[in-house]
Amino acid sequence: MKRFIFLFFMFILLIISLFPLLTMFFTAIVPQGNLNNIVTEKFLNDFETKYIRYIKRKIKTYNGTKISIVKDSPVSTQSLKIEISPEKNQKVALLTGDLDLRISKGIELYAKLPDIDDFNIEFYDIDGNSYSFPIEINGDLNKWDKIFISLTNVKKIDLKHITKIAFSFYSKKSAYIYIDDIKIKYKFPTLMNFVIVWKENNFGRYMFNSLLIAILVVLGNIIFSTTVAYAFARREFFGKNFLFLIVLATMMIPPQVTIIPIFILMKNFGWIDTYYSLIIPFLVTPFGIFLLKQYIEQLPIELEQAAYVDGANTFQILFHVIFPLSKPAIAVMGINTFITSWNMLFYPLVMTSSKNMRTVQVGLALFQKFNQVDWPILMAASSIIGIPVIIAFLIFQKHIISGITQGAVKG
């Protein structure tokens, strides 16, 4: 019983700890809206207005087609009535501005089509390309019928920029058509938000930049921070304690204070908007030096003395003795450095000016518009950004856990 309670309690803690990650991913697969308001359908027009002039501003007619509003509807109070002349191909187009239909399953509407011989629905993109869907006319044409047009396999037009949806008709005699409740049906759940994030806004380049910078910064810290820490831990030289105090003091200086002198230095070197300015200043960090110095001081010095007796020099001892024994501390420093570099926003924003040099955090900030935030797109981008951090932790976790358990075992 106690074991069951313990496991249940641990499961609840796990759910609580994963809740932000789960909500972020769930929002990323929402077509529109947010976690509290999931939009699975959107009305383009339901013709619920008494002003025909307002309707005509959103609808364009061709070949003398006449339209009006009538009190006849299957789901509301009124609908659009279209008068069809005999032996004429006539058309009515719903102007949609710049409509994105990539996340939609299709278009749904109600129609009543008495005495109609041919009925097509056409989609036009911003380049003037069109795609026509013939609608099969059957059943009782004097009754309202729900029509659904699937957009799943449409590839001939740009579904990101649909400017109008047209209804074309043909009848051998005079006829009337009634249309009502035209709406978009969205896919839910959808992975299209991830596709949009990856393909648009140069996001692939941002990921490459951040990965390159973070990996090189981690490698630099593993080499240089360990070397400096070994010198502080095992070597005696003039001003050693004073220099180490300076290293510790730099940890207390806010990065906003040092950004201006670093910017001036990078500008004098000609490194603004280059990888040099994003990598070189972080190849060695005071936190890495402090962490590794404290760890190396705990290692048995007899191992190094034995290596000296066997004829090893200082660098051989460093790379063949100190590095292998310091793997747990290096793993902690590595993942901390990777996360810090990956999440850096202010510094890359100041040091870069072109799209090709931006990092993921700068790119993520660009998704947030002044008065509107597209939450599904933003959460999809955030989910993609979190993947490398999780991978980095999985790579280093074995060494981190071994470092934790090492001190719990008596030799």
Side-chain angles (χ1 to χ4, degrees):
M1 185 66 183
K2 290 182 179 180
R3 184 179 179 183
F4 174 77
I5 295 174
F6 175 76
L7 291 176
F8 178 77
F9 180 72
M10 295 302 295
F11 177 75
I12 295 297
L13 289 179
L14 178 64
I15 295 298
I16 293 174
S17 63
L18 293 178
F19 183 75
L21 183 63
L22 295 175
T23 55
M24 180 178 68
F25 180 77
F26 184 81
T27 307
I29 61 176
V30 169
Q32 282 195 2
N34 52 50
L35 188 64
N36 299 320
N37 180 28
I38 301 172
V39 179
T40 57
E41 60 182 29
K42 177 182 178 182
F43 278 95
L44 294 177
N45 207 318
D46 57 0
F47 308 107
E48 293 298 311
T49 178
K50 62 181 180 180
Y51 301 106
I52 188 64
R53 290 182 180 179
Y54 177 76
I55 296 294
K56 288 182 176 180
R57 282 204 298 263
K58 293 190 173 185
I59 291 179
K60 185 177 181 180
T61 59
Y62 300 83
N63 298 330
T65 306
K66 297 180 181 179
I67 60 173
S68 59
I69 298 295
V70 294
K71 298 290 183 180
D72 185 8
S73 173
V75 290
S76 53
T77 58
Q78 57 190 30
S79 61
L80 181 71
K81 180 181 179 182
I82 305 170
E83 184 178 343
I84 306 298
S85 301
E87 304 291 341
K88 269 189 175 183
N89 288 314
Q90 294 188 288
K91 185 185 296 185
V92 173
L94 181 66
L95 304 179
T96 59
D98 188 6
L99 182 64
D100 189 348
L101 293 179
R102 289 174 298 174
I103 309 180
S104 66
K105 292 189 293 186
I107 302 293
E108 183 181 278
L109 68 148
Y110 285 91
K112 186 162 65 171
L113 310 167
D115 300 321
I116 293 298
D117 299 305
D118 187 45
F119 177 32
N120 294 280
I121 298 180
E122 303 167 356
F123 293 84
Y124 291 83
D125 64 18
I126 197 170
D127 297 319
N129 301 316
S130 64
Y131 193 85
S132 178
F133 292 87
I135 304 301
E136 185 178 350
I137 302 174
N138 49 31
D140 190 350
L141 302 181
N142 291 309
K143 291 185 178 181
W144 285 97
D145 187 25
K146 182 187 289 186
I147 298 173
F148 180 77
I149 304 97
S150 175
L151 301 176
T152 304
N153 298 318
V154 176
K155 297 180 180 179
K156 296 182 179 180
I157 56 175
D158 182 8
L159 289 176
K160 182 182 178 182
H161 303 286
I162 297 297
T163 57
K164 62 183 177 181
I165 300 173
F167 307 95
S168 62
F169 314 92
Y170 177 79
S171 177
K172 295 178 182 178
K173 58 182 180 180
S174 296
Y176 295 97
I177 294 172
Y178 302 87
I179 295 176
D180 195 18
D181 277 14
I182 307 171
K183 60 185 176 183
I184 306 170
K185 302 289 285 187
Y186 290 113
K187 300 174 185 176
F188 178 71
T190 178
L191 297 177
M192 182 57 68
N193 292 323
F194 294 95
V195 177
I196 293 172
V197 165
W198 188 256
K199 288 186 176 180
E200 296 181 3
N201 299 303
N202 214 22
F203 207 83
R205 178 70 183 189
Y206 302 157
M207 291 285 289
F208 171 78
N209 289 341
S210 288
L211 276 174
L212 178 65
I213 292 166
I215 290 172
L216 291 179
V217 166
V218 169
L219 292 177
N221 273 270
I222 291 174
I223 296 171
F224 299 119
S225 293
T226 307
T227 304
V228 176
Y230 178 69
F232 278 121
R234 290 292 195 243
R235 292 291 178 267
E236 295 296 333
F237 52 89
F238 178 76
K240 169 184 170 180
N241 294 332
F242 178 73
L243 289 175
F244 187 67
L245 284 174
I246 293 177
V247 171
L248 294 180
T250 58
M251 297 175 63
M252 306 174 191
I253 302 175
Q256 291 82 1
V257 175
T258 60
I259 189 69
I260 294 177
I262 293 177
F263 179 83
I264 295 173
L265 186 63
M266 296 297 108
K267 183 179 179 182
N268 292 336
F269 286 159
W271 288 355
I272 297 297
D273 204 35
T274 66
Y275 288 117
Y276 298 114
S277 63
L278 300 174
I279 296 173
I280 291 179
F282 304 100
L283 288 179
V284 58
T285 58
F287 172 77
I289 295 172
F290 172 74
L291 176 66
L292 287 164
K293 174 185 177 295
Q294 300 302 111
Y295 190 87
I296 292 172
E297 286 179 340
Q298 306 304 315
L299 298 177
I301 196 170
E302 292 79 10
L303 296 173
E304 300 169 51
Q305 292 172 347
Y308 274 120
V309 171
D310 290 337
N313 59 37
T314 301
F315 284 100
Q316 288 175 327
I317 292 172
L318 177 63
F319 288 103
H320 295 288
V321 178
I322 300 301
F323 268 94
L325 293 175
S326 302
K327 280 184 180 179
I330 290 175
V332 172
M333 182 198 66
I335 193 170
N336 179 77
T337 304
F338 185 90
I339 293 173
T340 301
S341 178
W342 186 263
N343 291 335
M344 198 176 296
L345 170 63
F346 182 65
Y347 187 86
L349 187 63
V350 172
M351 294 296 172
T352 60
S353 56
S354 64
K355 286 185 177 180
N356 288 335
M357 289 306 302
R358 287 173 180 160
T359 59
V360 288
Q361 299 301 333
V362 178
L364 184 63
L366 297 177
F367 277 88
Q368 303 182 36
K369 301 175 183 179
F370 282 106
N371 296 317
Q372 181 181 1
V373 177
D374 193 340
W375 287 108
I377 295 293
L378 185 62
M379 292 299 103
S382 300
S383 300
I384 293 175
I385 287 174
I387 292 174
V389 177
I390 296 173
I391 294 174
F393 176 76
L394 293 176
I395 292 172
F396 288 107
Q397 69 166 339
K398 180 180 178 181
H399 300 293
I400 294 173
I401 294 171
S402 67
I404 295 172
T405 57
Q406 187 176 14
V409 180
K410 278 193 173 183

